[in-house]
C-alpha cells in the first residue's frame, strides 16, 4: 500500500532524494516547487519502501492503511496532483539533491573562516546546517538571537495545534549544539552589537531574521483598539515576549479576519477551536485563558477576490473542515469559477463549494468564508465597533478587482488584519522599505545607492524574498544564499576578518545555548504534568531566572 503526505507537510523536501522511484513531486528543481501547497506521493509509483517516512522531519507521511479518519482526504489529494498528463510522465530515476561541496578553494584568510548568522529561525538554521555540511572547510559559526529562546517562526509562528510541524526544531537545536558553533542569546544585532562590529570580525555576515511586523490595511479606523495585525495576534497566542501584554478583547460576538491565506486560517481556527482542541497544545497560558472566556459566535474571514483565488492551501482547508465540520460555512457568492483550472484547482473549488451556507444549531462559534468583499472603514468610539465592507467584482479573465459602492456595516468587536508580514530594518544593513525586504541578488545584499552587492553580507528567508512559502521553503532559499557566500569565498571576494574572540566582551549580557536548554527542559517538564507538550515561559525575566540544575 502506498504512503501518503498529509496536512503537516513543510515542503522541506528531505523526502525527495531518498525516494528510489522518484515518485514524490514537485522536486526542488521543478518549476512549481516554489508555489506548491505541499509535496505529493504518486500512489501508482510508490513501492512502500518507507524511506520517505524516515526522512520526513515533521511526521507528515503515513501509510494509507494507517491513516486517521481526518487524513483520509489526503489519499485523493495526493492522487489528484498526478491527474495532469505532464505530472504523470516524470523521470523514474531517483532525483539527486545537489551534492555537498568538497572544499578545495583557498579561503580569503587564514582558517578558520568566521561566519556570523543572525537569527535562529528556519531560514538561519537551514543556513547553519548547509554550512556544516561542507567538507574540508574549517568554519567558526557564531549565531546571534535577540531572544533567550531559539526557533523563530517554528516557536512563534506555527499554530499551537500543529505540533508535528514544530518537531523540525529538534534538528535545528542539534545543529546549534555542534562543535564549531557559538550561540549568543539575548543579543539584538543593531542594538547590542552593530552590523559594523560584526563585519569587522567575520568573513561573512548572514541575516536570517524573518519578518515580524504586520502590513497595514491602509483604511480609516485601523488604529482603533481592537484592530490587531495577525503577526501580533499570532505572537500573542504563541507566547512571544514582545506581545505577552497585547490587549485582545474576545467579549464581542463577532470577529472579522481580513485576508484568507494560511495565517488567516490559523487565526480563525484558534478563535473557533475551543478548549478541547487547544487545551492540550503549547498555546500560551494567557491566550488559553482568554479563549476559554470568549464570547465569540462568528468569525468571518473576508477576501477581496473570489473563492477561485483563495490564498489558503487545500491541506489547511481540509484540516479546518475536519475540525469544525458544519461550523465551517461559506457565503452564497463565491465569485467566478476558476479559469483553465488544473486538477488541484478544481479539487479545491469543489471543496469550498461543498461547504454549507447556513449555521447549525448550537452555541459554538462558526467560521464564515466571505468572498468578494473589501474593507473600506473601521468605526468605533475609541475601539472597534463596526466594519464597513464593500462588495467587489472580479474580472474572470484578468482577475482585476473593482470595489463597488454597495456596502454593509457589520457590528464587530475584533478585527484582525492578516494581509502579510513585513521585515524590520536593522541599523547599518540596506533595506527596501517599499518591498519590506533586504535588497539582494540571490542572497547577496545590495547597496542600493552604489548599485552593487555588499561583499561579505548575505540574507536568507523572509527578509530576503518576502513572507512566502512554508518552513521547508527556507531550505532551498538558504542553500542559494550559502552557495553565494561559498562562491565569493572561493573567488577571494571576502575581506580578511579580524579575530572574533572579543565578541563575548562586546555582549557581556549574552547567554549561551545552555540557557535555551534550561528553558526548554523546564517548559517540557511543566507540560508533562498536565499532558501538554510544554507550558511556555513568556516573560524574559522568568526565563533568565532559571538556573542550571
Amino acid at each position: 500500500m502506498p504512503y501518503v503526505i498529509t496536512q503537516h507537510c513543510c515542503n522541506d523536501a528531505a523526502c525527495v532524494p531518498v525516494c528510489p522511484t522518484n515518485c514524490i513531486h514537485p522536486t526542488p528543481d521543478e518549476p512549481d516547487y516554489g508555489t506548491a501547497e505541499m509535496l505529493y506521493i504518486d500512489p501508482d509509483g510508490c513501492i512502500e519502501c518507507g524511506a520517505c517516512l524516515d526522512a520526513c522531519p515533521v511526521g507528515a507521511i503515513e501509510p494509507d492503511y494507517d491513516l486517521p479518519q481526518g487524513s483520509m482526504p489526503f489519499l485523493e489529494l495526493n492522487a489528484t496532483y498526478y491527474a495532469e498528463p505532464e505530472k504523470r510522465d516524470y523521470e523514474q530515476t531517483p532525483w539527486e539533491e545537489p551534492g555537498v561541496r568538497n572544499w578545495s578553494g583557498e579561503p580569503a584568510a587564514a582558517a578558520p573562516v568566521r561566519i556570523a548568522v543572525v537569527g535562529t529561525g528556519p531560514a538561519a538554521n537551514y543556513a547553519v546546517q548547509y554550512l556544516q555540511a561542507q567538507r574540508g572547510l574549517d568554519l567558526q559559526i557564531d549565531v546571534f538571537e535577540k531572544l533567550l529562546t531559539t526557533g523563530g517562526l517554528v516557536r512563534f509562528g506555527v499554530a499551537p495545534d500543529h505540533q508535528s510541524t514544530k518537531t523540525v526544531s529538534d534538528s535545528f537545536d542539534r545543529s546549534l549544539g555542534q562543535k564549531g558553533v557559538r550561540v549568543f542569546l539575548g543579543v539584538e544585532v543593531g542594538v547590542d552589537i552593530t552590523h559594523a562590529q560584526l563585519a569587522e570580525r567575520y568573513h561573512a555576515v548572514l541575516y536570517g531574521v524573518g519578518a515580524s511586523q504586520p502590513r497595514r490595511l491602509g483604511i480609516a479606523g485601523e488604529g482603533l483598539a481592537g484592530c490587531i495585525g495577525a503577526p501580533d495576534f499570532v505572537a500573542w497566542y504563541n507566547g512571544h515576549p514582545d506581545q505577552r501584554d497585547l490587549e485582545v478583547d474576545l467579549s464581542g460576538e463577532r470577529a472579522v479576519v481580513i485576508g484568507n491565506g494560511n495565517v488567516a486560517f490559523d487565526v480563525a481556527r484558534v478563535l473557533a477551536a475551543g478548549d478541547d482542541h487547544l487545551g492540550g497544545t503549547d498555546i500560551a497560558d494567557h491566550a488559553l485563558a482568554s479563549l476559554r472566556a470568549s464570547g465569540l459566535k462568528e468569525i468571518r474571514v473576508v477576501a477581496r477576490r473570489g473563492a477561485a483565488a483563495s490564498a489558503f492551501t487545500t491541506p489547511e482547508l481540509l484540516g479546518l473542515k475536519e475540525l469544525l465540520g458544519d461550523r465551517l460555512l461559506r457565503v452564497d457568492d463565491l465569485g467566478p469559477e476558476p479559469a483553465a483550472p488544473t486538477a488541484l484547482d478544481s479539487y479545491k473549488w469543489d471543496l469550498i463549494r461543498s461547504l454549507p451556507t447556513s449555521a447549525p444549531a448550537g452555541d459554538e462559534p462558526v467560521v464564515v468564508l466571505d468572498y468578494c468583499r473589501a474593507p473600506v472603514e473601521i468605526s468605533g468610539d475609541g475601539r472597534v465597533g463596526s466594519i464597513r465592507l464593500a462588495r467587489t467584482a472580479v474580472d474572470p479573465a484578468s482577475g482585476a478587482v473593482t470595489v463597488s459602492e454597495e456596502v454593509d456595516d457589520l457590528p464587530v468587536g475584533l478585527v484582525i488584519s492578516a494581509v502579510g508580514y513585513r521585515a524590520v530594518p536593522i541599523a547599518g544593513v540596506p533595506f527596501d522599505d517599499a518591498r519590506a525586504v533586504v535588497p539582494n541578488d540571490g542572497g547577496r545584499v545590495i547597496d542600493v545607492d552604489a548599485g552593487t552587492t555588499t561583499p561579505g553580507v548575505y540574507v536568507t528567508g523572509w527578509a530576503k524574498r518576502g513572507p512566502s512559502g512554508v518552513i521547508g521553503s527556507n531550505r532551498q532559499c538558504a542553500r542559494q544564499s550559502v552557495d553565494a557566500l561559498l562562491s565569493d569565498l572561493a573567488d577571494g571576494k571576502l575581506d580578511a576578518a579580524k579575530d572574533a574572540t572579543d565578541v563575548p566582551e562586546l555582549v557581556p549580557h549574552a547567554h549561551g545555548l545552555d540557557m535555551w536548554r534550561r528553558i526548554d527542559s523546564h517548559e517540557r517538564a511543566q507540560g508533562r504534568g498536565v499532558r501538554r507538550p510544554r507550558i511556555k515561559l513568556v516573560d524574559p525575566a522568568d526565563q533568565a531566572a532559571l538556573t542550571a540544575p
Side-chain angles (χ1 to χ4, degrees):
M1 293 184 180
Y3 284 83
V4 181
I5 298 180
T6 63
Q7 178 182 357
H8 303 297
C9 176
C10 72
N11 290 40
D12 176 286
C15 56
V16 173
V18 302
C19 177
T21 60
N22 191 30
C23 73
I24 305 176
H25 293 266
T27 62
D29 60 345
E30 292 175 337
D32 53 343
Y33 174 78
T35 57
E37 295 186 340
M38 56 181 283
L39 304 183
Y40 307 88
I41 294 177
D42 182 357
D44 294 330
C46 178
I47 61 172
E48 309 158 47
C49 67
C52 59
L53 188 73
D54 296 331
C56 179
V58 296
I61 301 176
E62 302 177 49
D64 65 354
Y65 61 81
D66 201 30
L67 282 177
Q69 186 61 38
S71 294
M72 292 301 293
F74 288 93
L75 276 169
E76 183 180 5
L77 183 60
N78 276 253
T80 298
Y81 176 83
Y82 296 92
E84 307 289 342
E86 65 272 18
K87 300 292 175 58
R88 287 198 301 268
D89 299 331
Y90 54 83
E91 179 64 45
Q92 294 294 316
T93 56
W95 181 83
E96 293 187 6
E97 191 168 14
V100 171
R101 181 194 297 258
N102 287 304
W103 187 260
S104 59
E106 289 297 325
V113 178
R114 299 182 181 87
I115 299 174
V117 176
V118 183
T120 58
N125 271 296
Y126 278 125
V128 170
Q129 289 182 343
Y130 191 45
L131 284 166
Q132 290 171 330
Q134 308 311 308
R135 301 190 184 98
L137 186 61
D138 184 6
L139 290 175
Q140 172 63 56
I141 304 171
D142 285 357
V143 180
F144 297 85
E145 166 61 55
K146 72 174 185 176
L147 300 177
L148 298 180
T149 56
T150 66
L153 179 68
V154 179
R155 181 175 171 92
F156 298 118
V158 175
D161 56 344
H162 285 181
Q163 287 299 310
S164 294
T165 306
K166 292 174 182 278
T167 58
V168 71
S169 63
D170 294 341
S171 70
F172 294 158
D173 285 346
R174 287 193 294 271
S175 298
L176 295 179
Q178 285 191 20
K179 182 181 179 181
V181 179
R182 294 190 301 182
V183 178
F184 296 87
L185 301 177
V187 176
E188 184 173 2
V189 174
V191 176
D192 301 310
I193 189 169
T194 68
H195 169 71
Q197 288 174 316
L198 294 181
E200 287 176 351
R201 290 163 173 79
Y202 297 91
H203 293 91
V205 183
L206 189 151
Y207 287 91
V209 293
S212 59
Q213 297 299 306
R215 290 186 178 273
R216 295 184 59 81
L217 293 169
I219 62 176
E222 188 174 11
L224 289 171
C227 184
I228 302 171
D232 293 341
F233 183 72
V234 170
W236 172 76
Y237 68 61
N238 272 322
H240 194 294
D242 291 351
Q243 300 298 339
R244 67 186 187 278
D245 296 324
L246 183 70
E247 181 188 351
V248 179
D249 186 352
L250 302 178
S251 62
E253 292 192 355
R254 176 184 287 123
V256 170
V257 182
I258 307 298
N260 76 339
N262 282 355
V263 173
F265 261 34
D266 283 347
V267 169
R269 191 175 65 255
V270 166
L271 288 173
D275 189 48
D276 287 346
H277 183 69
L278 294 174
T281 72
D282 66 350
I283 189 171
D285 279 355
H286 59 250
L288 186 59
S290 294
L291 290 164
R292 282 170 172 163
S294 170
L296 290 174
K297 301 300 181 185
E298 176 186 284
I299 298 96
R300 189 166 287 265
V301 181
V302 175
R304 290 170 57 90
R305 300 180 182 274
S310 293
F312 56 78
T313 62
T314 303
E316 288 303 315
L317 175 60
L318 287 169
L320 191 60
K321 185 178 180 182
E322 168 66 17
L323 174 65
L324 299 182
D326 59 2
R327 291 195 290 131
L328 178 60
L329 314 175
R330 67 167 176 88
V331 294
D332 289 324
D333 183 9
L334 294 180
E337 294 193 12
T342 65
L344 287 177
D345 292 335
S346 296
Y347 184 89
K348 187 176 185 178
W349 170 263
D350 290 341
L351 274 176
I352 297 172
R353 192 169 53 181
S354 71
L355 298 175
T357 56
S358 58
D363 294 330
E364 292 184 291
V366 298
V367 172
V368 182
L369 306 186
D370 194 353
Y371 291 100
C372 301
R373 308 259 269 182
V376 293
E377 184 180 0
I378 300 170
S379 303
D381 184 12
R383 67 171 300 107
V384 170
S386 67
I387 185 169
R388 176 165 293 179
L389 299 175
R391 180 68 57 187
T392 66
V394 182
D395 185 295
S398 67
V401 176
T402 303
V403 180
S404 75
E405 298 295 325
E406 181 185 349
V407 297
D408 292 309
D409 291 316
L410 292 181
V412 63
L414 178 67
V415 175
I416 298 178
S417 59
V419 294
Y421 286 64
R422 286 179 57 89
V424 179
I426 294 176
V429 180
F431 190 75
D432 182 340
D433 191 64
R435 297 178 55 226
V437 296
V438 176
N440 69 95
D441 179 11
R444 295 179 175 93
V445 172
I446 295 173
D447 182 332
V448 179
D449 293 334
T452 59
T453 57
T454 304
V457 187
Y458 305 85
V459 63
T460 186
W462 281 6
K464 170 187 174 183
R465 68 183 191 276
S468 62
V470 291
I471 286 175
S473 308
N474 293 292
R475 188 168 182 246
Q476 302 304 320
C477 181
R479 178 188 292 275
Q480 181 191 48
S481 297
V482 172
D483 277 343
L485 185 160
L486 294 173
S487 178
D488 290 348
L489 178 64
D491 292 342
K493 295 180 179 179
L494 302 186
D495 292 335
K498 296 179 180 178
D499 197 340
T501 55
D502 67 338
V503 169
E505 299 170 15
L506 297 176
V507 286
H509 64 286
H511 294 272
L513 190 60
D514 60 320
M515 171 54 74
W516 160 237
R517 287 170 172 161
R518 290 201 296 271
I519 295 170
D520 182 41
S521 177
H522 174 85
E523 290 180 343
R524 291 178 186 269
Q526 294 298 303
R528 280 193 292 272
V530 289
R531 297 185 178 181
R532 293 174 60 185
R534 67 174 69 238
I535 295 179
K536 288 180 176 178
L537 285 175
V538 301
D539 190 330
D542 293 337
Q543 295 172 347
L546 293 177
T547 57

